């Protein structure tokens, strides 16, 4: 539970009390490469596994316990991994365990590769959620306080549910200032397979609720979705729900204005209001404003205590030694780029070692949008260590060229042997977190964003198409513009799937549609132009001013799109996935209700215009 | 290694792979995908779903784009097949590969071989496709990482380079 201020006293001061309940469904990561692992056992060397995975040291730890082997006799090697999105954070420890036990028992190499149906049936998906909001609002639309009740379906075992719940709860208040709030959060056990990590990790669920609820508050108070947000945005100097003071000069109003401007929001809104009176389609605009904390929550990074190495090699080139894995996000590119920048070498002279627990230190898992910000900062400092060593041993002088660096590096290795520089995470002194009261600096940095969706709903098929999407974010310094844009577009695409297409059908705790034929993700023809824009404030805690970026774009699309669909009809849709049949059912129900009212206008306080009082 | 009974059950199949004639011995209903990956060690062709939905296993068979997970190898007898390994010439990347590289068209890479073959099939039929035609031409290939924009941009860029080259 998160508690801030005096919630119980606010209700009588409120001009409006706004309630809403919002739900989100399970979502399959649907990496195109299924889970797979190879294990080999040798009595002298122990167990070695190679596979498709995110977190080598998670598997290392699991296999030490499972096989009862010491650390040096367990080796985990990450191979090229065909997508992960959180879906290969935790589950690979299971399949690695199965392969390892079979290899030990049989004395033969064992390869296990799931086919699609097996992968869909067995592996973890995004936690379904239910969020209730009860909010006290002043006459002029300011949030006075409220209660948020956030619940997620953990499935049959706890696994990562506690940490998903934690991140979801901390993000539940959105990018707004709450003078008082009480956030209760719980994960419940059900008969489904365990739910687990998926990009966003609880935040997309609770932020969907918050941003849908803001539109409901706006309607009750009689303000526009723009104005209600503008009046409640967190500002520098104010404190979040966990009482973390915003120290950076973030101006969310400016972010909102820019996104509105780019999307041509106001004029489209006016035009749609006219056009929606007739015709075979309805159009709408939706806004989502949100934030995403980078790195492990609270004391997480302190406990992880990540280590990173940078090596000056015998050929004069530099190698980055991290357990951070590449699965499409650009880990190798960006970490090499950071080391190259720190030393002043061309990118071509830097490489990243294959994540192999025999070779690389534990730089923590590749999750939580922490790689560039946290691990990147450690790479930067370890790389500076290499440079400093060469400078202080007089093999190199300031103002050196790349050729001089490489010559000095070769000389050093020839004289002293292996040349490595290590850097270990140390929590900044001004970051404080209380695990008991759930209070303090939840994250070293937040990324901020405003997304705007434009949708058309076809009144014959009830299908929703997203026609335009503006994604504006502040993620600190953008280190690699091409890759950053790729992260945002990819995240938005997954968010569109989460909102409008991807439905896990459960029966007796099993997924009934575990195929790509009946679990539908967006294709190249289903997506709008996604316009990606950045603001850059920088960040003192991240490598060269970077914050986390990977998960942020998953948070905004669902509320922006469902706000737009709700705008198109002037009614609230409060759940995702929102499929055409759901829209049809709702409109049909409203129509029948209205006809019922029309038949007996005097009954039950319904006035003859058909509007419920 | 094959015992006589297995040998009798297998068929001798000849085809051309990446412009080279090949003869394989395989069960007639074996998937072309498995013959490519296991017997011919052409592991660039990927399996994503095994039911023809995702397009990761796409190859060109006599110039037509097919999902190799749905092709019994016997059906490929006598055909000419191009896999992703057959696109680059030596160390020079194919114009599509280069454009994917420069435009962020690949993230994790698992869909990339099929995606590039689909794009190649598209450009062979239409040298200056519109953005919509590119989207349509790639709609049988699923990508979970990129959201497709940078793939579509890469294909458009490759088309420009081909026509101006």
């Amino acid at each position: 539970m998160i508690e801030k201020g005096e919630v119980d006293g606010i209700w009588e001061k409120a001009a409006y009390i706004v309630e809403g309940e919002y739900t989100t469904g399970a979502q399959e990561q649907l990496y195109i490469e299924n889970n797979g692992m190879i294990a080999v056992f040798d009595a002298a060397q122990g167990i070695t596994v190679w596979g498709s995975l995110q977190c080598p040291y998670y598997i290392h730890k699991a296999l030490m316990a499972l096989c009862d082997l010491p650390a040096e006799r367990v080796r985990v090697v990450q191979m090229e991994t065909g997508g992960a999105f959180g879906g290969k954070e935790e589950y690979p420890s299971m399949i690695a365990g199965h392969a390892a036990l079979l290899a030990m028992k049989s004395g033969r190499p064992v390869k296990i590769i799931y086919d699609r149906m097996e992968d869909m049936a067995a592996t973890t998906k995004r936690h379904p959620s239910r969020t209730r909001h009860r909010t006290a609002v002043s006459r002029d639309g300011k949030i006075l306080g409220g209660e948020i009740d956030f619940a997620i379906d953990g499935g049959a075992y706890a696994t990562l549910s506690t940490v998903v719940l934690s991140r979801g709860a901390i993000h539940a208040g959105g990018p707004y200032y709450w003078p008082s709030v009480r956030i209760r959060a719980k994960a419940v056990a059900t008969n489904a397979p365990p739910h687990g990590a998926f990009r966003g990790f609880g935040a997309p669920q609770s932020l969907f609720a918050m941003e849908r609820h803001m539109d409901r508050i706006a309607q009750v108070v009689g303000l526009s979705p723009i104005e209600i947000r503008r009046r409640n945005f967190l500002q520098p100097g104010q404190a979040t729900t966990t009482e973390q003071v915003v120290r950076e000069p973030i101006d969310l109003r400016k972010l909102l204005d820019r996104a509105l401007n780019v999307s041509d929001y106001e004029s489209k809104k006016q035009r749609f209001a006219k056009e929606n009176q007739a015709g075979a389609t309805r159009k709408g605009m939706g806004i989502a404003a949100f934030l995403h904390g980078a790195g492990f929550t609270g004391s997480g990074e302190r406990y992880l205590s990540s280590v990173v190495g940078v090596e000056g090699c015998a050929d004069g080139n530099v190698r980055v030694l991290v357990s951070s894995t590449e699965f499409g996000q650009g880990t190798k590119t960006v970490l090499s780029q950071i080391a190259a920048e720190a030393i002043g070498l061309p990118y071509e002279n830097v490489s990243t070692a294959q994540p192999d627990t025999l070779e690389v230190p534990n730089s923590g898992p590749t999750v939580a949008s922490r790689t560039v910000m946290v691990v990147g900062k450690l790479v930067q400092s370890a790389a500076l260590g290499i440079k400093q060593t060469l400078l202080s041993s007089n093999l190199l002088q300031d103002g050196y060229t790349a050729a001089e660096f490489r010559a000095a590096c070769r000389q050093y290795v020839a004289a002293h042997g292996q040349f490595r520089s290590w850097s270990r995470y140390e929590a900044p002194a001004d970051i404080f977190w209380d695990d008991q009261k759930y209070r303090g600096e939840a994250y070293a940095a937040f990324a901020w964003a405003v997304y705007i969706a434009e949708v058309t709903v076809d009144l014959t098929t009830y299908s929703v198409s997203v026609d335009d999407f503006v994604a504006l974010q502040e993620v600190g310094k953008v280190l690699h513009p091409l890759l950053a844009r790729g992260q945002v577009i990819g995240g938005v695409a997954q968010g569109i799937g989460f909102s409008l297409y991807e439905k896990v059908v459960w029966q007796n705790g099993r997924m009934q549609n575990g195929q790509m034929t009946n679990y539908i993700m967006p294709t190249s023809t289903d997506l709008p132009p996604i316009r990606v824009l950045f603001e850059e404030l920088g960040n003192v805690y991240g490598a060269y001013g970077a914050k986390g970026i990977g998960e942020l774009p998953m948070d905004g699309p669902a509320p922006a799109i469902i706000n737009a669909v709700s705008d198109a009809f002037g009614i609230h849709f409060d759940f995702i996935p929102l499929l055409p049949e759901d829209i049809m059912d709702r409109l049909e129900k409203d129509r029948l209700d209205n006809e019922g009212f029309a038949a007996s206008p005097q009954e039950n306080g319904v006035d003859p215009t058909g509007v419920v009082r | 290694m094959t015992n006589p009974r297995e040998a009798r059950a297998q068929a001798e199949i000849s085809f051309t792979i990446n412009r080279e004639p090949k003869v394989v011995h395989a069960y007639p209903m074996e998937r072309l995908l498995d013959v490519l990956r296991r017997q011919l060690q052409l592991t660039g062709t990927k399996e994503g779903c095994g039911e023809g939905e995702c397009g990761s296993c796409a190859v060109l068979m006599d110039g037509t784009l097919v999902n190799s997970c749905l092709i019994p190898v016997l059906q490929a007898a006598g055909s000419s097949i191009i896999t992703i390994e057959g696109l680059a010439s030596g160390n020079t990347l194919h114009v599509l590969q280069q454009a994917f590289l420069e435009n962020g068209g690949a993230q994790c890479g698992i869909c990339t071989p099929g995606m590039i073959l689909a794009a190649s099939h598209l450009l062979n039929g239409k040298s200056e496709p519109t953005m919509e035609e590119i989207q349509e031409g790639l709609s049988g290939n699923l990508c979970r990482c990129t959201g497709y924009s940078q793939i579509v941009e890469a294909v458009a860029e490759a088309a420009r380079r081909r026509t101006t080259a």
Side-chain angles (χ1 to χ4, degrees):
Chain A
M1 188 167 84
I2 298 170
E3 190 146 18
K4 178 189 178 191
E6 291 292 326
V7 181
D8 295 326
I10 57 166
W11 306 108
E12 54 197 37
K13 294 181 203 151
Y16 308 96
I17 295 172
V18 186
E19 297 184 2
E21 181 172 316
Y22 310 91
T23 58
T24 63
Q27 185 185 20
E28 164 61 37
Q29 291 86 359
L30 217 76
Y31 30 72
I32 306 294
E33 177 194 63
N34 294 315
N35 271 285
M37 202 68 69
I38 294 171
V40 171
F41 180 71
D42 172 289
Q45 288 179 2
I47 190 85
T48 303
V49 297
W50 295 263
S52 179
L53 57 99
Q54 270 178 262
C55 310
Y57 277 95
Y58 279 8
I59 297 172
H60 190 261
K61 188 178 169 193
L63 292 183
M64 279 169 63
L66 181 74
C67 306
D68 193 22
L69 288 169
E72 64 277 10
R73 289 174 65 210
V74 174
R75 179 182 177 196
V76 180
V77 186
Q78 186 232 5
M79 306 305 289
E80 300 304 323
T81 294
F85 316 114
K88 293 171 187 170
E89 169 169 354
E90 177 182 38
Y91 196 84
S93 299
M94 294 285 291
I95 185 170
H98 297 153
L101 289 178
L102 287 167
M104 290 173 85
K105 188 75 178 173
S106 67
R108 307 271 299 165
V110 170
K111 174 162 81 173
I112 301 179
I113 297 178
Y114 282 178
D115 69 19
R116 182 58 60 182
M117 282 184 85
E118 289 167 334
D119 198 288
M120 297 266 246
T123 69
T124 60
K125 305 180 204 323
R126 183 186 301 288
H127 289 76
S129 76
R130 188 270 292 137
T131 309
R132 293 197 184 111
H133 273 269
R134 183 163 190 258
T135 316
V137 185
S138 74
R139 190 152 303 282
D140 60 355
K142 286 221 165 139
I143 293 174
L144 300 173
E147 287 181 320
I148 305 172
D149 176 354
F150 178 58
I152 59 175
D153 172 351
Y157 295 93
T159 63
L160 291 168
S161 293
T162 48
V163 267
V164 170
L165 189 71
S166 159
R167 183 173 280 270
I170 290 170
H171 287 74
Y176 303 108
Y177 175 62
W178 293 78
S180 67
V181 70
R182 182 181 294 136
I183 303 170
R184 290 178 205 276
K186 64 184 169 204
V188 296
T190 67
N191 63 344
H195 293 296
F198 189 164
R199 197 177 197 169
F201 212 69
Q205 291 96 315
S206 64
L207 283 165
F208 170 72
M210 181 71 249
E211 280 306 278
R212 274 269 56 229
H213 193 61
M214 282 311 272
D215 272 22
R216 179 170 263 116
I217 295 173
Q219 192 200 26
V220 169
V221 177
L223 290 173
S224 70
I226 301 171
E227 196 52 38
I228 197 74
R229 288 177 171 81
R230 194 184 294 281
R231 290 187 191 183
N232 287 288
F233 275 144
L234 265 171
Q235 289 169 34
Q238 289 180 334
T240 65
T241 54
T242 66
E243 303 196 20
Q244 172 169 0
V245 175
V246 178
R247 295 207 184 95
E248 59 185 332
I250 181 70
D251 185 348
L252 288 166
R253 293 174 182 172
K254 193 177 131 207
L255 224 59
L256 177 61
D257 286 341
R258 187 175 165 202
L260 290 169
N261 197 21
V262 172
S263 67
D264 202 12
Y265 179 92
E266 296 279 13
S267 70
K268 280 185 177 162
K269 199 80 174 158
Q270 283 175 17
R271 182 154 61 81
F272 297 162
K274 278 188 213 131
E275 291 172 359
N276 281 347
Q277 302 297 321
T281 59
R282 294 288 178 268
K283 291 178 68 70
M285 300 290 288
I287 302 172
F290 54 103
L291 74 178
H292 198 99
F296 264 41
T297 303
S299 327
E301 292 294 343
R302 217 180 287 250
Y303 294 138
L304 277 178
S305 190
S306 300
V307 179
V308 157
V310 171
E311 178 174 12
C313 303
D315 62 0
N317 287 336
V318 165
R319 209 160 67 114
V320 177
L321 305 169
V322 288
S323 64
S324 306
T325 49
E326 172 69 65
F327 38 90
Q329 349 76 301
T331 302
K332 283 184 176 174
T333 306
V334 176
L335 294 183
S336 298
Q337 187 190 346
I338 290 168
E341 182 76 22
I343 296 175
L345 275 182
Y347 175 77
E348 290 67 30
N349 294 135
V350 182
S351 64
T352 307
Q354 181 171 34
D356 172 343
T357 54
L358 273 192
E359 273 283 320
V360 300
N362 188 352
S363 56
T366 307
V367 302
S369 308
R370 65 186 294 275
T371 302
V372 174
M373 186 178 94
V374 178
V375 180
K377 186 81 174 178
L378 297 176
V379 169
Q380 187 183 349
S381 92
L384 287 173
I386 292 281
K387 174 179 156 178
Q388 288 306 333
T389 305
L390 294 180
L391 288 172
S392 58
S393 58
N394 290 320
L395 291 169
L396 199 60
Q397 273 72 49
D398 265 326
Y400 56 83
T401 65
E404 285 164 355
F405 173 90
R406 296 183 64 217
C409 185
R410 281 195 294 269
Q411 243 180 307
Y412 190 97
V413 176
H416 304 282
Q418 197 175 68
F419 176 28
R420 289 177 171 181
S421 157
W422 305 97
S423 178
R424 180 183 286 273
Y425 177 81
E426 281 172 32
D430 53 349
I431 287 193
F432 172 76
W433 177 256
D434 182 337
D435 275 322
Q436 300 307 315
K437 292 185 176 149
Y438 242 68
R439 201 171 288 175
E441 318 283 320
Y443 301 100
F446 284 102
W448 309 89
V450 175
Y451 285 7
I452 298 184
E454 175 188 337
V455 305
T456 300
V457 187
D458 183 313
L459 292 181
T460 310
T461 62
Y462 298 101
S463 64
V464 179
S465 64
V466 183
D467 302 328
D468 187 31
F469 200 96
V470 172
L472 169 62
Q473 47 260 304
E474 194 288 312
V475 292
K477 179 75 187 154
V478 176
L479 299 191
H480 194 301
L482 183 75
L483 293 180
R485 179 168 170 260
Q487 281 297 294
V488 175
I489 298 174
V492 170
Q494 289 178 352
I496 291 174
F498 183 42
S499 317
L500 298 174
Y501 295 94
E502 298 177 32
K503 181 168 188 165
V504 176
V505 181
W506 298 105
Q507 193 176 38
N508 298 327
R510 285 165 179 256
M511 183 179 187
Q512 294 300 299
N513 54 333
Q515 291 168 273
M516 283 179 163
T517 321
N518 46 19
Y519 182 84
I520 305 300
M521 62 161 275
T523 74
S524 52
T525 55
D526 297 322
L527 298 174
I530 296 164
R531 297 193 273 164
V532 182
L533 304 158
F534 294 104
E535 297 270 333
E536 294 179 298
L537 284 183
N539 167 27
V540 292
Y541 302 113
Y544 294 104
K547 293 177 182 172
I549 183 174
E551 296 174 288
L552 176 85
M554 188 73 221
D555 296 342
I561 288 165
I562 306 304
N563 282 345
V565 177
S566 299
D567 176 54
F569 291 103
I571 52 180
H572 294 288
F573 291 98
D574 292 331
F575 59 91
I576 49 169
L578 183 66
L579 302 182
E581 52 266 41
D582 299 320
I583 298 178
M584 184 182 81
D585 284 351
R586 172 65 189 276
L587 295 178
E588 198 62 11
K589 182 178 169 295
D590 285 2
R591 189 177 65 79
L592 291 174
D593 286 353
N594 283 336
E595 281 176 3
F597 293 149
S600 52
Q602 305 309 320
E603 279 174 33
N604 298 329
V606 174
D607 79 17
T609 59
V611 177
V612 183
R613 277 207 289 264
Chain B
M1 299 290 272
T2 326
N3 70 37
R5 187 145 44 114
E6 282 179 14
R8 275 196 303 279
Q10 290 182 340
E12 183 179 286
I13 296 159
S14 317
F15 42 30
T16 307
I17 307 273
N18 298 330
R19 298 167 204 90
E20 277 183 35
K22 294 273 177 193
V23 179
V24 296
H25 293 88
Y27 297 108
M29 291 303 286
E30 256 186 272
R31 305 184 302 176
L32 175 59
L33 169 65
D34 295 328
V35 174
L36 290 172
R37 287 181 58 88
R38 292 179 192 165
Q39 280 202 42
L40 300 167
Q41 300 289 304
L42 294 170
T43 52
T45 305
K46 307 296 182 189
E47 175 170 355
C49 70
E51 55 179 4
E53 280 290 332
C54 73
S56 302
C57 65
V59 299
L60 295 173
M61 195 164 108
D62 292 331
T64 300
L65 189 69
V66 296
N67 287 321
S68 63
C69 74
L70 296 183
I71 304 284
V73 67
L74 196 64
Q75 195 182 324
S79 71
S80 169
I81 290 167
I82 301 286
T83 68
I84 189 67
E85 288 90 347
L87 281 197
S89 37
N91 285 327
T92 310
L93 292 179
H94 186 271
V95 63
L96 274 163
Q97 291 170 316
Q98 189 64 35
F100 268 60
L101 196 62
E102 291 171 20
N103 289 275
Q107 285 189 25
C108 83
I110 186 92
C111 75
T112 313
M115 200 63 88
I116 287 184
L117 287 166
S120 151
H121 178 252
L122 173 75
L123 296 188
N124 286 340
K126 200 163 215 101
S127 59
E128 295 177 60
T130 63
M131 285 304 200
E132 288 73 25
E133 284 167 337
I134 296 173
Q135 284 176 308
E136 187 63 38
L138 302 179
S139 63
N141 295 70
L142 297 178
C143 169
R144 190 58 153 171
C145 295
T146 63
Y148 307 104
S149 297
Q150 289 173 324
I151 292 176
V152 173
E153 288 159 17
V155 175
E157 173 67 22
R160 267 194 299 278
R161 285 183 197 173
R162 267 178 29 147
T163 49
T164 54

